[in-house]
């Protein structure tokens, strides 16, 4: 049961508007009945009907006389990047695509460990303080997770699964993917910088960061700004406003960053990812008229979303985030 954002009536079968993200009863489910923000862009393919993934979908004479740099680059690809092309699946489905990539990467990690060993695995998937110049690990480490702890990737997947589609609807698939990768990379680099100052860089095979918690918390930060009173269910049982959960994660992260502890949990990565999300959420709030649903369930785990404690896996001393 959920409460209608317009009349406040509890409804056993609420309707979630895919254009503005609000939750409504049967009487207010139509866009014109809840003053849907999508109505403002009704004739704009890049608004209501567009996905945000392909900027080349435009209207008016501007589509024939002006294109973005990204669109021109897409036009040079030997595949159809238009609405009916092979990339059409990714429009509106970037959250699930990124989740799939996380699990495919998790499988590849195990294959790499079995065939190439821990050294190759570390080179390919872990952002290590000894080799921050391995730029591919800035990205691969986001999708990689501790192969010795299935709960690491499970908890991150839960957060992304629930929050990701909401953010993707507001910013578009392409910007959502950029937010995911950029926030994840910045989070990992921040944790790596701390490990370098702690002297990890001089000890081979020690330290390192992997996991999508930085990106997951950035997504969570965006929703916290847009709807701080969104009701979530921690562990599917404990109801609380989203801002309380976010504040709790922030306080824990700041504390452990300050004392230099936290075991194998990358608290600095958590904090940086959350700050990126809060900042981007504030930008969206100031530039767009958005609405969010008023409740849904959120799973979690020890150490915050995606950050279960405890040692594990090859590359001892690395931090999961």
């Amino acid at each position: 049961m959920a409460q209608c954002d317009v009349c406040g009536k509890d409804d056993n079968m609420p309707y979630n508007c895919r254009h503005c993200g609000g939750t409504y009863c049967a009487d207010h489910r139509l866009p014109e009945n809840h003053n849907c923000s999508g109505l403002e862009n009704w004739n704009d393919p890049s608004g209501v009907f567009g996905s945000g993934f392909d900027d080349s979908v435009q209207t008016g004479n501007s589509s024939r006389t002006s294109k973005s740099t990204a669109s021109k680059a897409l036009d040079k690809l030997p595949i159809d990047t238009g609405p009916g092309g092979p990339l059409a699946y990714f429009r509106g489905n970037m959250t699930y695509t990124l989740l799939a990539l996380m699990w495919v990467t998790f499988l590849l990690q195990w294959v790499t460990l079995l065939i190439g060993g821990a050294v190759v695995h570390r080179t390919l998937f872990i952002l290590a303080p000894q080799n921050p110049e391995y730029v591919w690990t800035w990205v691969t480490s986001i999708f990689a997770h501790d192969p010795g702890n299935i709960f690491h990737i499970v908890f991150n997947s839960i957060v992304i699964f629930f929050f990701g589609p909401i953010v993707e609807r507001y910013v578009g698939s392409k910007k959502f993917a950029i937010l995911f990768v950029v926030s994840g990379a910045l989070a990992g680099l921040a944790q790596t910088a701390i490990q370098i100052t702690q002297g990890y860089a001089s000890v081979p095979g020690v330290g390192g960061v992997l996991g999508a918690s930085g990106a997951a918390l950035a997504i969570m930060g965006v929703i916290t700004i847009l709807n701080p009173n969104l009701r979530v269910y921690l562990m599917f049982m404990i109801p609380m406003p989203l801002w309380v959960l976010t504040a709790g994660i922030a306080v824990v992260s700041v504390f452990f960053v300050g004392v230099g502890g936290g075991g194998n949990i990358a608290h600095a990565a958590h904090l940086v990812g959350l700050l990126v999300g809060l900042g981007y959420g504030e930008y969206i709030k100031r530039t767009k008229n958005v609405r969010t649903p008023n409740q849904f369930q959120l799973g979690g785990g020890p150490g915050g979303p995606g950050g279960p404690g405890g040692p594990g896996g090859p590359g001892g001393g690395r931090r999961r985030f």
Side-chain angles (χ1 to χ4, degrees):
M1 180 176 292
Q3 193 177 64
C4 176
D5 290 347
V6 175
C7 64
K9 182 176 70 175
D10 291 329
D11 197 316
N12 289 324
M13 298 182 67
Y15 171 76
N16 182 244
C17 180
R18 68 185 182 89
H19 301 313
C20 67
T23 302
Y24 307 101
C25 64
D27 295 334
H28 297 100
R29 67 189 302 270
L30 296 177
E32 56 267 29
N33 290 343
H34 61 257
N35 194 26
C36 181
S37 58
L39 289 173
E40 300 174 1
N41 299 319
W42 193 256
N43 295 317
D44 181 6
S46 66
V48 174
F49 297 107
S51 66
F53 184 80
D54 187 355
D55 287 341
S56 66
V57 181
Q58 300 177 15
T59 57
N61 294 331
S62 60
S63 63
R64 291 184 290 271
T65 59
S66 176
K67 284 189 176 182
S68 66
T69 303
S71 299
K72 293 178 180 178
L74 286 173
D75 289 342
K76 296 179 180 179
L77 295 177
I79 57 176
D80 181 7
T81 61
L87 295 182
Y89 169 80
F90 298 103
R91 296 180 174 87
N93 293 296
M94 186 55 64
T95 298
Y96 307 117
T97 302
L98 295 173
L99 282 172
L101 287 174
M102 282 170 48
W103 284 92
V104 169
T105 302
F106 190 67
L107 177 62
L108 290 176
Q109 287 180 257
W110 274 106
V111 172
T112 302
L113 285 169
L114 292 174
I115 297 178
V119 174
V120 176
H121 174 268
R122 185 176 179 84
T123 301
L124 294 177
F125 298 107
I126 298 179
L127 177 53
Q130 296 83 12
N131 302 105
E133 73 278 8
Y134 291 175
V135 293
W136 60 87
T137 61
W138 296 10
V139 176
T140 58
S141 63
I142 303 171
F143 296 92
H145 289 78
D146 186 350
N149 190 341
I150 187 67
F151 294 106
H152 185 207
I153 188 172
V154 168
F155 290 137
N156 276 341
S157 297
I158 289 173
V159 177
I160 295 169
F161 178 83
F162 280 105
F163 287 117
I166 302 175
V167 176
E168 184 177 356
R169 279 201 299 269
Y170 298 143
V171 305
S173 299
K174 182 170 66 175
K175 290 181 180 178
F176 178 80
I178 294 173
L179 171 67
F180 187 92
V181 174
V182 171
S183 61
L186 290 176
L189 289 170
Q191 186 67 49
T192 301
I194 290 179
Q195 291 184 348
I196 291 175
T197 62
Q198 293 173 336
Y200 282 36
S202 59
V203 185
V206 176
V209 187
L210 77 173
S213 288
L217 287 171
I219 295 169
M220 184 174 169
V222 172
I223 299 299
T224 300
I225 292 296
L226 298 181
N227 193 344
N229 293 316
L230 175 67
R231 183 189 300 175
V232 296
Y233 290 82
L234 181 64
M235 300 299 293
F236 300 99
M237 295 182 294
I238 307 173
M240 63 179 64
L242 178 58
W243 72 266
V244 173
L245 178 61
T246 302
I249 295 173
V251 169
V252 170
S253 299
V254 169
F255 173 78
F256 281 110
V257 169
V259 300
N264 285 342
I265 300 174
H267 289 287
H270 287 187
L271 186 60
V272 169
L274 186 58
L275 290 175
V276 170
L278 292 173
Y280 190 51
E282 185 64 28
Y283 168 77
I284 296 174
K285 183 178 180 180
R286 292 176 180 272
T287 57
K288 295 184 178 182
N289 179 25
V290 297
R291 294 175 180 172
T292 56
N294 56 21
Q295 69 174 19
F296 57 85
Q297 290 184 329
L298 167 66
R318 69 171 178 270
R319 306 242 175 165
R320 299 190 299 270
F321 75 101

